[in-house]
Amino acid sequence: METNYETIVIGGGVVGSGIAYHLSERYKEGVLVLDKKYPMSGTSGSTQAWVWVHNKTPSWYAEFSMYSAELYPYLSKKIGDVEYKRTGGLSPFFNESDREKAQKLAESYRKIGIKIKVLSREEVLEKEPYMNPEVAGATYSSIDGNVNPFRLIDMYMRAAKRNGVRYSTYNKVTEIKKQDGKYSVVSDKGAFECKNLILAGGTWSREIGDMLGVKIPVNQLRGQILVSEPLKPFLNFTISGLRQANNGEVLMGYSMEEAGFNRATTLDVIQETANMAVQYVPGLRKAKIVRAFSGIRAMPEDGFPILGKVPGQENLYVAATHSGVTLSPLIGTLLTELIMDGETSIPIDRYSLSRFGESEFY
Ligand SMILES: Cc1cc2nc3c(=O)[nH]c(=O)nc-3n(C[C@H](O)[C@H](O)[C@H](O)COP(=O)(O)OP(=O)(O)OC[C@H]3O[C@@H](n4cnc5c(N)ncnc54)[C@H](O)[C@@H]3O)c2cc1C
């Protein structure tokens, strides 16, 4: 295998593969993706995969998410069917007292051009007839949706490979050295050299950063999801808590737990998830549950994406974020612009690693 590359991406999840694909549209040769397992083995293979703008706060982060959601229809045209559905998103509330909070959210979004409607009980039930009739209302946004994460990564990889990107899987990066202005990336299957190095290791970003003496403050946050048997299509919207996939399965849950890298599923969270699902959609009470799984989110210390150049290091880039499914088309586009043109069409300064202060280098 070729050992010299223009760009190496460490991590082939939705973020790394998204970057590799977008880069490959601008230059056809010289990109290598290294993954210690395979591209769906990390968080990208254990996600709800909503393409979600609704409820993101503050509004500048919602705006950033909106730009990415807007790219999805074009992405499907370019790389193939990723089962993206702009279903619209519903966030139900069950107390009339929550209506004021919902109205405030709608108002703050209106200023940045995202339309959030605060629905009455009747409007919710008209849109989503299987919702609990005790619902008080919901916020609704037409831009939300969901995607099949497995197809998304598969299509990114296929399109990237057609454009000349190489993948090396089951190949863990163990050491990174900087020599003569180039990066030497040492892996289980040998050493590779590159000019540009992109760190897209998701929840493992901290340990990859350590190899370069760069502190990438990403923590782990577990999420558990329950999956029903395939049911006839009956849910119209992506609901903040559950969604029905194209094959009829209902994916329920969105827990956030500090459990390190432990991917166990636990009865307490399964029980809370089932209660939430039944409160939202009482008909699910009789659904057969066929599996439960968990994933480990990459959660930057302040909750916002870490994107762009690593300060003080030439040709070194980082992309570590939660909501990577929502953000991957935008992250791929912007990192490609940054590497190829030296600037981005949408400012990403606020997402720089530098916001964590002077201590990014050990
Ligand atoms: C329960 C749950 C629900 C979620 N729901 C949503 C949602 O609805 N919408 C949304 O947008 N996001 C959601 N997310 C978050 C989203 O799934 C992630 O942000 C996204 O998958 C992260 O992609 P990634 O490519 O950064 O990470 P990963 O998919 O984890 O990819 C990182 C890759 O790096 C590789 N790697 C790590 N270390 C090394 C090394 N040393 N050498 C080589 N390779 C290495 C790993 O093998 C892995 O494949 C959810 C997450 C969870 C857990």
Side-chain angles (χ1 to χ4, degrees), residues 10-16 34-39 41-44 46-50 171-173 200-204 207-208 211 221 223-225 254 295-297 321-326:
I10 301 178
V14 73
V15 170
L34 295 170
D35 200 290
K36 68 175 175 178
K37 282 195 177 167
Y38 53 92
S41 62
T43 316
S44 305
S46 52
T47 173
Q48 268 281 12
W50 308 337
N171 193 6
K172 184 173 181 178
V173 173
T203 198
W204 296 273
E207 72 180 48
I208 296 172
M211 295 179 200
L221 208 54
Q224 300 186 38
I225 293 178
Y254 202 74
I296 309 297
R297 295 179 183 83
T321 187
H322 176 49
S323 298
V325 174
T326 302

mmCIF file of all heavy atoms in Angstrom, residues 10-16 34-39 41-44 46-50 171-173 200-204 207-208 211 221 223-225 254 295-297 321-326, ligand 1:
data_model
loop_
_atom_site.group_PDB
_atom_site.id
_atom_site.type_symbol
_atom_site.label_atom_id
_atom_site.label_comp_id
_atom_site.label_asym_id
_atom_site.label_seq_id
_atom_site.Cartn_x
_atom_site.Cartn_y
_atom_site.Cartn_z
ATOM 1 N N ILE A 10 -7.765 10.448 10.453
ATOM 2 C CA ILE A 10 -7.813 9.377 11.469
ATOM 3 C C ILE A 10 -9.246 9.286 11.966
ATOM 4 O O ILE A 10 -9.771 10.235 12.562
ATOM 5 C CB ILE A 10 -6.846 9.656 12.642
ATOM 6 C CG1 ILE A 10 -5.412 9.789 12.126
ATOM 7 C CG2 ILE A 10 -6.940 8.526 13.679
ATOM 8 C CD1 ILE A 10 -4.385 10.122 13.209
ATOM 9 N N GLY A 11 -9.894 8.155 11.684
ATOM 10 C CA GLY A 11 -11.295 7.947 12.070
ATOM 11 C C GLY A 11 -12.200 7.999 10.843
ATOM 12 O O GLY A 11 -12.244 9.004 10.146
ATOM 13 N N GLY A 12 -12.885 6.899 10.596
ATOM 14 C CA GLY A 12 -13.721 6.804 9.379
ATOM 15 C C GLY A 12 -15.206 6.817 9.685
ATOM 16 O O GLY A 12 -16.008 6.328 8.894
ATOM 17 N N GLY A 13 -15.597 7.394 10.852
ATOM 18 C CA GLY A 13 -17.031 7.506 11.164
ATOM 19 C C GLY A 13 -17.685 8.526 10.249
ATOM 20 O O GLY A 13 -17.113 8.947 9.230
ATOM 21 N N VAL A 14 -18.883 8.935 10.643
ATOM 22 C CA VAL A 14 -19.637 9.836 9.773
ATOM 23 C C VAL A 14 -18.889 11.161 9.584
ATOM 24 O O VAL A 14 -18.935 11.763 8.498
ATOM 25 C CB VAL A 14 -21.070 10.015 10.333
ATOM 26 C CG1 VAL A 14 -21.092 10.879 11.586
ATOM 27 C CG2 VAL A 14 -22.003 10.564 9.301
ATOM 28 N N VAL A 15 -18.138 11.569 10.601
ATOM 29 C CA VAL A 15 -17.404 12.831 10.487
ATOM 30 C C VAL A 15 -16.175 12.651 9.586
ATOM 31 O O VAL A 15 -15.988 13.383 8.609
ATOM 32 C CB VAL A 15 -17.020 13.369 11.892
ATOM 33 C CG1 VAL A 15 -16.059 14.543 11.793
ATOM 34 C CG2 VAL A 15 -18.281 13.795 12.641
ATOM 35 N N GLY A 16 -15.353 11.634 9.883
ATOM 36 C CA GLY A 16 -14.138 11.414 9.084
ATOM 37 C C GLY A 16 -14.453 11.054 7.646
ATOM 38 O O GLY A 16 -13.831 11.575 6.701
ATOM 39 N N LEU A 34 -7.778 6.161 8.026
ATOM 40 C CA LEU A 34 -7.355 5.044 8.880
ATOM 41 C C LEU A 34 -8.398 4.839 9.964
ATOM 42 O O LEU A 34 -8.829 5.807 10.603
ATOM 43 C CB LEU A 34 -6.015 5.367 9.557
ATOM 44 C CG LEU A 34 -4.796 5.517 8.645
ATOM 45 C CD1 LEU A 34 -3.623 6.082 9.433
ATOM 46 C CD2 LEU A 34 -4.430 4.174 8.034
ATOM 47 N N ASP A 35 -8.811 3.616 10.170
ATOM 48 C CA ASP A 35 -9.756 3.363 11.260
ATOM 49 C C ASP A 35 -9.315 2.134 12.052
ATOM 50 O O ASP A 35 -8.929 1.114 11.474
ATOM 51 C CB ASP A 35 -11.185 3.156 10.741
ATOM 52 C CG ASP A 35 -12.197 3.377 11.848
ATOM 53 O OD1 ASP A 35 -12.264 2.534 12.784
ATOM 54 O OD2 ASP A 35 -12.881 4.416 11.822
ATOM 55 N N LYS A 36 -9.389 2.247 13.377
ATOM 56 C CA LYS A 36 -8.887 1.132 14.200
ATOM 57 C C LYS A 36 -9.796 -0.089 14.087
ATOM 58 O O LYS A 36 -9.379 -1.208 14.338
ATOM 59 C CB LYS A 36 -8.683 1.547 15.646
ATOM 60 C CG LYS A 36 -9.932 1.852 16.434
ATOM 61 C CD LYS A 36 -9.557 2.126 17.886
ATOM 62 C CE LYS A 36 -10.768 2.551 18.679
ATOM 63 N NZ LYS A 36 -10.457 2.784 20.080
ATOM 64 N N LYS A 37 -11.056 0.128 13.734
ATOM 65 C CA LYS A 37 -11.937 -1.009 13.430
ATOM 66 C C LYS A 37 -12.483 -0.781 12.029
ATOM 67 O O LYS A 37 -11.797 -0.917 11.057
ATOM 68 C CB LYS A 37 -13.045 -1.138 14.460
ATOM 69 C CG LYS A 37 -12.566 -1.780 15.761
ATOM 70 C CD LYS A 37 -13.749 -2.204 16.589
ATOM 71 C CE LYS A 37 -13.314 -2.903 17.843
ATOM 72 N NZ LYS A 37 -14.450 -3.028 18.772
ATOM 73 N N TYR A 38 -13.768 -0.417 11.943
ATOM 74 C CA TYR A 38 -14.350 -0.106 10.640
ATOM 75 C C TYR A 38 -15.274 1.096 10.842
ATOM 76 O O TYR A 38 -15.666 1.409 11.981
ATOM 77 C CB TYR A 38 -15.096 -1.317 10.051
ATOM 78 C CG TYR A 38 -16.120 -1.906 10.963
ATOM 79 C CD1 TYR A 38 -17.449 -1.485 10.915
ATOM 80 C CD2 TYR A 38 -15.775 -2.860 11.913
ATOM 81 C CE1 TYR A 38 -18.400 -2.004 11.781
ATOM 82 C CE2 TYR A 38 -16.716 -3.380 12.780
ATOM 83 C CZ TYR A 38 -18.015 -2.952 12.710
ATOM 84 O OH TYR A 38 -18.965 -3.452 13.573
ATOM 85 N N PRO A 39 -15.645 1.782 9.764
ATOM 86 C CA PRO A 39 -16.301 3.077 9.921
ATOM 87 C C PRO A 39 -17.650 3.100 10.645
ATOM 88 O O PRO A 39 -18.097 4.163 11.008
ATOM 89 C CB PRO A 39 -16.436 3.561 8.476
ATOM 90 C CG PRO A 39 -15.220 2.988 7.828
ATOM 91 C CD PRO A 39 -15.128 1.598 8.407
ATOM 92 N N SER A 41 -18.153 1.188 13.386
ATOM 93 C CA SER A 41 -17.941 0.527 14.673
ATOM 94 C C SER A 41 -18.003 1.500 15.847
ATOM 95 O O SER A 41 -18.195 1.099 16.983
ATOM 96 C CB SER A 41 -16.580 -0.180 14.683
ATOM 97 O OG SER A 41 -15.550 0.782 14.507
ATOM 98 N N GLY A 42 -17.860 2.788 15.582
ATOM 99 C CA GLY A 42 -17.884 3.782 16.652
ATOM 100 C C GLY A 42 -19.288 4.310 16.887
ATOM 101 O O GLY A 42 -20.288 3.603 16.696
ATOM 102 N N THR A 43 -19.370 5.560 17.274
ATOM 103 C CA THR A 43 -20.665 6.159 17.622
ATOM 104 C C THR A 43 -21.601 6.200 16.412
ATOM 105 O O THR A 43 -22.825 6.108 16.557
ATOM 106 C CB THR A 43 -20.445 7.586 18.160
ATOM 107 O OG1 THR A 43 -19.342 7.561 19.064
ATOM 108 C CG2 THR A 43 -21.661 8.093 18.898
ATOM 109 N N SER A 44 -21.022 6.337 15.229
ATOM 110 C CA SER A 44 -21.864 6.475 14.029
ATOM 111 C C SER A 44 -22.698 5.232 13.735
ATOM 112 O O SER A 44 -23.663 5.311 12.977
ATOM 113 C CB SER A 44 -20.986 6.795 12.817
ATOM 114 O OG SER A 44 -20.212 7.926 13.073
ATOM 115 N N SER A 46 -24.189 3.590 16.226
ATOM 116 C CA SER A 46 -25.050 3.370 17.404
ATOM 117 C C SER A 46 -25.728 4.682 17.786
ATOM 118 O O SER A 46 -25.562 5.183 18.883
ATOM 119 C CB SER A 46 -24.211 2.842 18.565
ATOM 120 O OG SER A 46 -23.095 3.671 18.785
ATOM 121 N N THR A 47 -26.483 5.210 16.845
ATOM 122 C CA THR A 47 -27.015 6.563 16.985
ATOM 123 C C THR A 47 -28.499 6.592 16.640
ATOM 124 O O THR A 47 -29.000 5.671 15.997
ATOM 125 C CB THR A 47 -26.209 7.496 16.048
ATOM 126 O OG1 THR A 47 -26.781 8.780 16.035
ATOM 127 C CG2 THR A 47 -26.145 6.991 14.613
ATOM 128 N N GLN A 48 -29.192 7.654 17.038
ATOM 129 C CA GLN A 48 -30.579 7.844 16.597
ATOM 130 C C GLN A 48 -30.619 8.360 15.171
ATOM 131 O O GLN A 48 -31.564 8.118 14.449
ATOM 132 C CB GLN A 48 -31.290 8.861 17.505
ATOM 133 C CG GLN A 48 -32.026 8.276 18.697
ATOM 134 C CD GLN A 48 -33.391 7.691 18.292
ATOM 135 O OE1 GLN A 48 -33.710 7.514 17.135
ATOM 136 N NE2 GLN A 48 -34.188 7.377 19.287
ATOM 137 N N ALA A 49 -29.593 9.151 14.809
ATOM 138 C CA ALA A 49 -29.465 9.683 13.440
ATOM 139 C C ALA A 49 -30.592 10.629 13.039
ATOM 140 O O ALA A 49 -31.058 10.606 11.904
ATOM 141 C CB ALA A 49 -29.310 8.559 12.429
ATOM 142 N N TRP A 50 -31.013 11.454 13.973
ATOM 143 C CA TRP A 50 -31.894 12.555 13.579
ATOM 144 C C TRP A 50 -31.022 13.628 12.932
ATOM 145 O O TRP A 50 -29.900 13.875 13.388
ATOM 146 C CB TRP A 50 -32.577 13.214 14.783
ATOM 147 C CG TRP A 50 -33.279 12.300 15.716
ATOM 148 C CD1 TRP A 50 -33.765 11.054 15.447
ATOM 149 C CD2 TRP A 50 -33.571 12.560 17.093
ATOM 150 N NE1 TRP A 50 -34.340 10.525 16.567
ATOM 151 C CE2 TRP A 50 -34.241 11.431 17.591
ATOM 152 C CE3 TRP A 50 -33.338 13.641 17.935
ATOM 153 C CZ2 TRP A 50 -34.675 11.343 18.913
ATOM 154 C CZ3 TRP A 50 -33.768 13.561 19.261
ATOM 155 C CH2 TRP A 50 -34.434 12.425 19.732
ATOM 156 N N ASN A 171 -6.973 -0.958 11.609
ATOM 157 C CA ASN A 171 -5.617 -0.428 11.595
ATOM 158 C C ASN A 171 -5.534 0.748 12.562
ATOM 159 O O ASN A 171 -5.796 1.887 12.200
ATOM 160 C CB ASN A 171 -5.260 0.004 10.159
ATOM 161 C CG ASN A 171 -3.774 0.272 10.028
ATOM 162 O OD1 ASN A 171 -2.999 0.026 10.965
ATOM 163 N ND2 ASN A 171 -3.378 0.781 8.878
ATOM 164 N N LYS A 172 -5.145 0.435 13.777
ATOM 165 C CA LYS A 172 -5.132 1.448 14.832
ATOM 166 C C LYS A 172 -3.911 2.358 14.721
ATOM 167 O O LYS A 172 -2.786 1.862 14.551
ATOM 168 C CB LYS A 172 -5.150 0.751 16.190
ATOM 169 C CG LYS A 172 -5.225 1.704 17.346
ATOM 170 C CD LYS A 172 -5.406 0.977 18.678
ATOM 171 C CE LYS A 172 -5.508 2.015 19.786
ATOM 172 N NZ LYS A 172 -5.733 1.493 21.075
ATOM 173 N N VAL A 173 -4.126 3.647 14.847
ATOM 174 C CA VAL A 173 -3.015 4.593 14.926
ATOM 175 C C VAL A 173 -2.491 4.563 16.355
ATOM 176 O O VAL A 173 -3.258 4.703 17.310
ATOM 177 C CB VAL A 173 -3.474 6.021 14.547
ATOM 178 C CG1 VAL A 173 -2.366 7.044 14.803
ATOM 179 C CG2 VAL A 173 -3.923 6.059 13.084
ATOM 180 N N ALA A 200 -10.192 12.882 13.437
ATOM 181 C CA ALA A 200 -11.652 12.713 13.457
ATOM 182 C C ALA A 200 -11.988 11.430 14.221
ATOM 183 O O ALA A 200 -12.797 10.617 13.778
ATOM 184 C CB ALA A 200 -12.210 12.674 12.028
ATOM 185 N N GLY A 201 -11.348 11.290 15.359
ATOM 186 C CA GLY A 201 -11.468 10.053 16.138
ATOM 187 C C GLY A 201 -12.660 10.019 17.084
ATOM 188 O O GLY A 201 -12.736 9.156 17.955
ATOM 189 N N GLY A 202 -13.589 10.949 16.946
ATOM 190 C CA GLY A 202 -14.822 10.917 17.738
ATOM 191 C C GLY A 202 -14.523 10.875 19.224
ATOM 192 O O GLY A 202 -13.715 11.667 19.749
ATOM 193 N N THR A 203 -15.134 9.923 19.897
ATOM 194 C CA THR A 203 -15.021 9.851 21.355
ATOM 195 C C THR A 203 -13.608 9.481 21.823
ATOM 196 O O THR A 203 -13.277 9.636 23.000
ATOM 197 C CB THR A 203 -16.132 8.923 21.896
ATOM 198 O OG1 THR A 203 -16.298 9.153 23.271
ATOM 199 C CG2 THR A 203 -15.826 7.459 21.655
ATOM 200 N N TRP A 204 -12.765 9.043 20.869
ATOM 201 C CA TRP A 204 -11.360 8.740 21.202
ATOM 202 C C TRP A 204 -10.436 9.922 20.904
ATOM 203 O O TRP A 204 -9.217 9.785 20.897
ATOM 204 C CB TRP A 204 -10.894 7.501 20.426
ATOM 205 C CG TRP A 204 -11.633 6.263 20.802
ATOM 206 C CD1 TRP A 204 -11.342 5.406 21.824
ATOM 207 C CD2 TRP A 204 -12.812 5.743 20.169
ATOM 208 N NE1 TRP A 204 -12.266 4.395 21.868
ATOM 209 C CE2 TRP A 204 -13.181 4.572 20.866
ATOM 210 C CE3 TRP A 204 -13.601 6.138 19.101
ATOM 211 C CZ2 TRP A 204 -14.297 3.809 20.517
ATOM 212 C CZ3 TRP A 204 -14.710 5.380 18.748
ATOM 213 C CH2 TRP A 204 -15.054 4.235 19.448
ATOM 214 N N GLU A 207 -7.413 10.737 23.303
ATOM 215 C CA GLU A 207 -6.208 9.888 23.279
ATOM 216 C C GLU A 207 -5.425 10.087 21.980
ATOM 217 O O GLU A 207 -4.200 9.985 21.969
ATOM 218 C CB GLU A 207 -6.538 8.404 23.536
ATOM 219 C CG GLU A 207 -7.244 7.680 22.438
ATOM 220 C CD GLU A 207 -7.526 6.215 22.781
ATOM 221 O OE1 GLU A 207 -8.042 5.939 23.882
ATOM 222 O OE2 GLU A 207 -7.250 5.347 21.937
ATOM 223 N N ILE A 208 -6.121 10.433 20.888
ATOM 224 C CA ILE A 208 -5.395 10.700 19.630
ATOM 225 C C ILE A 208 -4.637 12.025 19.769
ATOM 226 O O ILE A 208 -3.474 12.132 19.376
ATOM 227 C CB ILE A 208 -6.354 10.697 18.429
ATOM 228 C CG1 ILE A 208 -6.959 9.295 18.260
ATOM 229 C CG2 ILE A 208 -5.637 11.125 17.148
ATOM 230 C CD1 ILE A 208 -8.064 9.205 17.237
ATOM 231 N N MET A 211 -1.291 11.884 21.432
ATOM 232 C CA MET A 211 -0.136 11.423 20.644
ATOM 233 C C MET A 211 0.671 12.597 20.097
ATOM 234 O O MET A 211 1.828 12.452 19.734
ATOM 235 C CB MET A 211 -0.614 10.545 19.467
ATOM 236 C CG MET A 211 -1.269 9.250 19.895
ATOM 237 S SD MET A 211 -1.826 8.313 18.455
ATOM 238 C CE MET A 211 -3.053 7.235 19.229
ATOM 239 N N LEU A 221 -20.233 10.213 26.774
ATOM 240 C CA LEU A 221 -21.595 10.284 27.303
ATOM 241 C C LEU A 221 -22.409 9.185 26.628
ATOM 242 O O LEU A 221 -22.635 9.226 25.410
ATOM 243 C CB LEU A 221 -22.176 11.676 26.989
ATOM 244 C CG LEU A 221 -23.225 12.239 27.924
ATOM 245 C CD1 LEU A 221 -22.753 12.261 29.373
ATOM 246 C CD2 LEU A 221 -23.594 13.658 27.493
ATOM 247 N N GLY A 223 -25.455 6.746 25.494
ATOM 248 C CA GLY A 223 -26.880 6.829 25.172
ATOM 249 C C GLY A 223 -27.406 5.444 24.850
ATOM 250 O O GLY A 223 -26.721 4.665 24.179
ATOM 251 N N GLN A 224 -28.602 5.120 25.381
ATOM 252 C CA GLN A 224 -29.184 3.799 25.130
ATOM 253 C C GLN A 224 -30.450 3.933 24.291
ATOM 254 O O GLN A 224 -31.235 4.867 24.482
ATOM 255 C CB GLN A 224 -29.510 3.116 26.450
ATOM 256 C CG GLN A 224 -28.289 2.918 27.336
ATOM 257 C CD GLN A 224 -28.587 2.104 28.577
ATOM 258 O OE1 GLN A 224 -29.355 1.134 28.552
ATOM 259 N NE2 GLN A 224 -27.966 2.478 29.687
ATOM 260 N N ILE A 225 -30.627 2.977 23.415
ATOM 261 C CA ILE A 225 -31.766 3.023 22.494
ATOM 262 C C ILE A 225 -32.465 1.661 22.466
ATOM 263 O O ILE A 225 -31.813 0.612 22.424
ATOM 264 C CB ILE A 225 -31.281 3.424 21.080
ATOM 265 C CG1 ILE A 225 -30.785 4.876 21.128
ATOM 266 C CG2 ILE A 225 -32.385 3.266 20.030
ATOM 267 C CD1 ILE A 225 -30.239 5.420 19.852
ATOM 268 N N TYR A 254 -32.909 8.464 24.212
ATOM 269 C CA TYR A 254 -31.919 9.504 24.020
ATOM 270 C C TYR A 254 -31.236 9.768 25.356
ATOM 271 O O TYR A 254 -31.020 10.901 25.738
ATOM 272 C CB TYR A 254 -32.611 10.775 23.482
ATOM 273 C CG TYR A 254 -31.662 11.687 22.766
ATOM 274 C CD1 TYR A 254 -31.198 11.358 21.506
ATOM 275 C CD2 TYR A 254 -31.198 12.859 23.372
ATOM 276 C CE1 TYR A 254 -30.308 12.176 20.847
ATOM 277 C CE2 TYR A 254 -30.311 13.691 22.712
ATOM 278 C CZ TYR A 254 -29.869 13.339 21.453
ATOM 279 O OH TYR A 254 -28.972 14.156 20.799
ATOM 280 N N GLY A 295 -24.540 3.596 22.628
ATOM 281 C CA GLY A 295 -23.413 4.219 21.927
ATOM 282 C C GLY A 295 -22.771 5.228 22.854
ATOM 283 O O GLY A 295 -23.391 5.679 23.823
ATOM 284 N N ILE A 296 -21.537 5.552 22.558
ATOM 285 C CA ILE A 296 -20.810 6.516 23.404
ATOM 286 C C ILE A 296 -20.598 7.797 22.609
ATOM 287 O O ILE A 296 -19.861 7.819 21.622
ATOM 288 C CB ILE A 296 -19.430 5.944 23.839
ATOM 289 C CG1 ILE A 296 -19.572 4.526 24.440
ATOM 290 C CG2 ILE A 296 -18.744 6.898 24.810
ATOM 291 C CD1 ILE A 296 -20.391 4.436 25.703
ATOM 292 N N ARG A 297 -21.267 8.850 23.056
ATOM 293 C CA ARG A 297 -21.111 10.143 22.372
ATOM 294 C C ARG A 297 -19.738 10.750 22.647
ATOM 295 O O ARG A 297 -19.214 10.596 23.750
ATOM 296 C CB ARG A 297 -22.133 11.160 22.888
ATOM 297 C CG ARG A 297 -23.551 10.827 22.608
ATOM 298 C CD ARG A 297 -24.456 11.904 23.193
ATOM 299 N NE ARG A 297 -25.842 11.561 22.989
ATOM 300 C CZ ARG A 297 -26.543 10.751 23.775
ATOM 301 N NH1 ARG A 297 -25.980 10.224 24.845
ATOM 302 N NH2 ARG A 297 -27.792 10.478 23.509
ATOM 303 N N THR A 321 -17.154 16.179 17.625
ATOM 304 C CA THR A 321 -18.432 16.795 17.956
ATOM 305 C C THR A 321 -19.495 15.780 18.362
ATOM 306 O O THR A 321 -19.433 14.613 17.971
ATOM 307 C CB THR A 321 -18.971 17.577 16.726
ATOM 308 O OG1 THR A 321 -20.131 18.300 17.089
ATOM 309 C CG2 THR A 321 -19.285 16.682 15.541
ATOM 310 N N HIS A 322 -20.449 16.283 19.146
ATOM 311 C CA HIS A 322 -21.709 15.547 19.247
ATOM 312 C C HIS A 322 -22.552 15.982 18.038
ATOM 313 O O HIS A 322 -22.180 16.915 17.327
ATOM 314 C CB HIS A 322 -22.412 15.881 20.565
ATOM 315 C CG HIS A 322 -23.746 15.218 20.648
ATOM 316 N ND1 HIS A 322 -23.901 13.869 20.378
ATOM 317 C CD2 HIS A 322 -24.978 15.693 20.903
ATOM 318 C CE1 HIS A 322 -25.175 13.563 20.487
ATOM 319 N NE2 HIS A 322 -25.854 14.653 20.800
ATOM 320 N N SER A 323 -23.665 15.307 17.779
ATOM 321 C CA SER A 323 -24.546 15.634 16.643
ATOM 322 C C SER A 323 -23.808 15.567 15.316
ATOM 323 O O SER A 323 -24.070 16.348 14.389
ATOM 324 C CB SER A 323 -25.181 17.022 16.827
ATOM 325 O OG SER A 323 -25.976 17.031 17.981
ATOM 326 N N GLY A 324 -22.880 14.639 15.238
ATOM 327 C CA GLY A 324 -22.072 14.506 14.028
ATOM 328 C C GLY A 324 -22.876 14.072 12.817
ATOM 329 O O GLY A 324 -22.476 14.343 11.679
ATOM 330 N N VAL A 325 -24.005 13.383 13.046
ATOM 331 C CA VAL A 325 -24.829 12.978 11.896
ATOM 332 C C VAL A 325 -25.434 14.233 11.277
ATOM 333 O O VAL A 325 -25.342 14.471 10.068
ATOM 334 C CB VAL A 325 -25.924 11.976 12.330
ATOM 335 C CG1 VAL A 325 -26.856 11.671 11.170
ATOM 336 C CG2 VAL A 325 -25.289 10.711 12.875
ATOM 337 N N THR A 326 -26.037 15.061 12.120
ATOM 338 C CA THR A 326 -26.621 16.317 11.632
ATOM 339 C C THR A 326 -25.565 17.164 10.935
ATOM 340 O O THR A 326 -25.810 17.732 9.865
ATOM 341 C CB THR A 326 -27.195 17.114 12.832
ATOM 342 O OG1 THR A 326 -28.162 16.304 13.478
ATOM 343 C CG2 THR A 326 -27.820 18.425 12.378
HETATM 344 C C1 LIG B 1 -27.484 7.192 21.552
HETATM 345 C C2 LIG B 1 -26.973 8.248 20.601
HETATM 346 C C3 LIG B 1 -27.866 8.989 19.873
HETATM 347 C C4 LIG B 1 -27.405 9.958 18.997
HETATM 348 N N1 LIG B 1 -28.310 10.631 18.249
HETATM 349 C C5 LIG B 1 -27.887 11.540 17.346
HETATM 350 C C6 LIG B 1 -28.819 12.179 16.512
HETATM 351 O O1 LIG B 1 -30.016 11.918 16.572
HETATM 352 N N2 LIG B 1 -28.358 13.084 15.600
HETATM 353 C C7 LIG B 1 -27.026 13.385 15.500
HETATM 354 O O2 LIG B 1 -26.669 14.230 14.689
HETATM 355 N N3 LIG B 1 -26.123 12.774 16.290
HETATM 356 C C8 LIG B 1 -26.520 11.863 17.200
HETATM 357 N N4 LIG B 1 -25.614 11.221 17.984
HETATM 358 C C9 LIG B 1 -24.209 11.583 17.866
HETATM 359 C C10 LIG B 1 -23.590 11.068 16.578
HETATM 360 O O3 LIG B 1 -23.922 9.707 16.385
HETATM 361 C C11 LIG B 1 -22.082 11.253 16.643
HETATM 362 O O4 LIG B 1 -21.809 12.637 16.859
HETATM 363 C C12 LIG B 1 -21.370 10.811 15.384
HETATM 364 O O5 LIG B 1 -21.692 9.492 15.054
HETATM 365 C C13 LIG B 1 -19.888 10.955 15.610
HETATM 366 O O6 LIG B 1 -19.229 10.565 14.453
HETATM 367 P P1 LIG B 1 -17.659 10.490 14.459
HETATM 368 O O7 LIG B 1 -17.246 10.124 13.078
HETATM 369 O O8 LIG B 1 -17.086 11.715 15.053
HETATM 370 O O9 LIG B 1 -17.320 9.352 15.509
HETATM 371 P P2 LIG B 1 -17.240 7.763 15.323
HETATM 372 O O10 LIG B 1 -18.343 7.241 14.501
HETATM 373 O O11 LIG B 1 -17.075 7.193 16.674
HETATM 374 O O12 LIG B 1 -15.921 7.586 14.476
HETATM 375 C C14 LIG B 1 -14.636 7.699 15.040
HETATM 376 C C15 LIG B 1 -13.785 6.613 14.432
HETATM 377 O O13 LIG B 1 -12.449 6.784 14.869
HETATM 378 C C16 LIG B 1 -11.851 5.510 14.928
HETATM 379 N N5 LIG B 1 -10.673 5.605 15.789
HETATM 380 C C17 LIG B 1 -10.616 5.953 17.084
HETATM 381 N N6 LIG B 1 -9.355 5.885 17.543
HETATM 382 C C18 LIG B 1 -8.572 5.500 16.497
HETATM 383 C C19 LIG B 1 -7.191 5.230 16.338
HETATM 384 N N7 LIG B 1 -6.326 5.360 17.353
HETATM 385 N N8 LIG B 1 -6.759 4.824 15.121
HETATM 386 C C20 LIG B 1 -7.624 4.697 14.076
HETATM 387 N N9 LIG B 1 -8.942 4.919 14.184
HETATM 388 C C21 LIG B 1 -9.420 5.317 15.371
HETATM 389 C C22 LIG B 1 -12.962 4.642 15.523
HETATM 390 O O14 LIG B 1 -12.774 3.266 15.222
HETATM 391 C C23 LIG B 1 -14.209 5.222 14.874
HETATM 392 O O15 LIG B 1 -14.644 4.472 13.734
HETATM 393 C C24 LIG B 1 -26.023 10.223 18.869
HETATM 394 C C25 LIG B 1 -25.115 9.454 19.599
HETATM 395 C C26 LIG B 1 -25.581 8.475 20.463
HETATM 396 C C27 LIG B 1 -24.599 7.639 21.226
#
